[in-house]
Amino acid sequence: MATYPLASPEIVGKAGWRDYLGLCKLRVVMVMLLTLVVGMCLATPQVPPLQLLLLTNIGVGLAAASAAAVNHVLDQGIDARMARTARRPLPQGKVTPLQAIVFAAVLGVAGVAVLAVAVNPLTAWLTLGSLIGYAFVYTAFLKRATPQNIVIGGVAGAAPPLIGWVAVTGEVTADGLLLMLIIFAWTPPHFWALCIARKDDYARAGIPMLPITHGESFTRLQILLYTLLTVLLTLLPYFIGLSGLIYLACVLVIDARLVYWAWRLFSAREAADPMKMFRFSILYIMVLFAILLVDHYLKLQL
């Protein structure tokens, strides 16, 4: 099975700061922190204390970066066989597995400690559970074991808004769980669109992603069904009183666009559509949580 070339021997293990940042998946972490902040803000009529906001973001951000670094270590063999990931620091040899593990351990311990000491123990436990769920349960087992890997493993990635809610309230409630459930339902169509676009890469790496095990047609149908489920869940914040009419009006617009891309992906079979769906789904989840945030504070002023 083909692999992509490593860096020259002269730079193996000689990591710079950019290489360590490359282990952190910063773009993914930033989206997670956006949903975390929205979860915190929706949990209280007031703006959460600045110190609490900063410390929660630091703790969860460090833990998320730690999980990403562990993911790099466990997936280095897979990454070396995929064009999309072959230039990551470990396949290139710029960071050694030991360096990455030490880096991940420092980040993880520091992040969970900040949350336990400066926020509350439940927030720390939920964050630790998400770290373990993504870094070990999903990456080490589910990803290689079942085409439903992203569905089951999506629980860990969906946790930030619930963690934010718990950071403010100190308890798990139905509202916080709903925010988590929205991301949980959004994750499969988001990721399966990428899997269709990179089907050959995943097949080369031996990963049983849904388009490989069940075919593209079945995957496109599942994307459409999970998209419809996501849309239904995004309406619930209005109906349970978590959000107002501003949110409802705006979310209907972006929901319509998401359904459009899911339907087009299901029916048109254009080669460029999977990546277009994937990219729009990232914008969608960011805009969705931004709308929740804006609606929350405007609703309080009306």
Side-chain angles (χ1 to χ4, degrees):
M1 190 172 290
T3 58
Y4 292 85
L6 295 173
S8 62
E10 291 79 11
I11 65 172
V12 171
K14 297 179 180 179
W17 64 269
R18 288 186 179 87
D19 298 311
Y20 283 106
L21 281 183
L23 297 177
C24 297
K25 299 187 178 181
L26 289 182
R27 285 182 291 183
V28 176
V29 172
M30 292 305 294
V31 175
M32 294 174 66
L33 293 182
L34 169 63
T35 66
L36 173 83
V37 169
V38 174
M40 294 182 71
C41 292
L42 265 61
T44 174
Q46 296 80 32
V47 177
L50 180 59
Q51 181 177 347
L52 181 64
L53 275 168
L54 289 175
L55 291 172
T56 305
N57 274 271
I58 289 170
V60 173
L62 288 172
S66 171
V70 175
N71 174 269
H72 276 265
V73 174
L74 295 176
D75 275 358
Q76 60 180 313
I78 293 171
D79 289 345
R81 297 195 293 269
M82 297 178 64
R84 183 174 68 91
T85 55
R87 294 191 178 278
R88 287 177 173 175
L90 267 79
Q92 285 288 296
K94 295 177 181 179
V95 178
T96 67
L98 179 59
Q99 288 173 329
I101 285 294
V102 171
F103 179 66
V106 170
L107 293 184
V109 170
V112 174
V114 166
L115 296 173
V117 173
V119 183
N120 61 59
L122 183 55
T123 299
W125 281 114
L126 287 174
T127 302
L128 178 60
S130 296
L131 190 163
I132 293 171
Y134 175 75
F136 298 103
V137 178
Y138 166 70
T139 302
F141 175 67
L142 291 174
K143 188 172 184 178
R144 295 157 171 81
T146 170
Q148 292 297 314
N149 46 28
I150 198 62
V151 178
I152 306 169
V155 174
L162 175 62
I163 292 172
W165 189 281
V166 171
V168 173
T169 66
E171 60 181 353
V172 174
T173 66
D175 289 346
L177 287 170
L178 174 58
L179 297 175
M180 176 179 173
L181 190 58
I182 289 171
I183 300 181
F184 175 77
W186 162 86
T187 300
H190 160 71
F191 198 77
W192 282 335
L194 176 65
C195 290
I196 292 175
R198 299 290 184 261
K199 179 181 175 182
D200 292 341
D201 246 3
Y202 284 108
R204 185 183 304 114
I207 303 300
M209 292 301 182
L210 197 65
I212 299 169
T213 61
H214 289 69
E216 286 193 25
S217 295
F218 181 80
T219 304
R220 291 169 192 263
L221 174 61
Q222 295 302 303
I223 288 173
L224 178 60
L225 294 176
Y226 270 93
T227 296
L228 294 176
L229 175 61
T230 301
V231 167
L232 290 175
L233 290 171
T234 61
L235 299 179
L236 290 182
Y238 172 76
F239 289 108
I240 68 173
L242 184 60
S243 63
L245 283 171
I246 296 171
Y247 167 79
L248 181 63
C250 294
V251 82
L252 286 172
V253 174
I254 62 170
D255 278 348
R257 190 64 177 171
L258 186 67
V259 171
Y260 163 79
W261 276 115
W263 176 254
R264 178 167 166 165
L265 190 63
F266 175 70
S267 60
R269 299 296 199 271
E270 295 290 335
D273 285 350
M275 282 305 298
K276 289 180 178 179
M277 169 75 179
F278 172 73
R279 293 191 183 103
F280 177 76
S281 67
I282 298 173
L283 177 64
Y284 169 86
I285 202 67
M286 295 173 66
V287 171
L288 174 72
F289 274 82
I291 293 169
L292 277 167
L293 186 62
V294 171
D295 172 89
H296 178 66
Y297 289 112
L298 288 180
K299 184 178 67 171
L300 293 174
Q301 294 177 10
L302 295 177

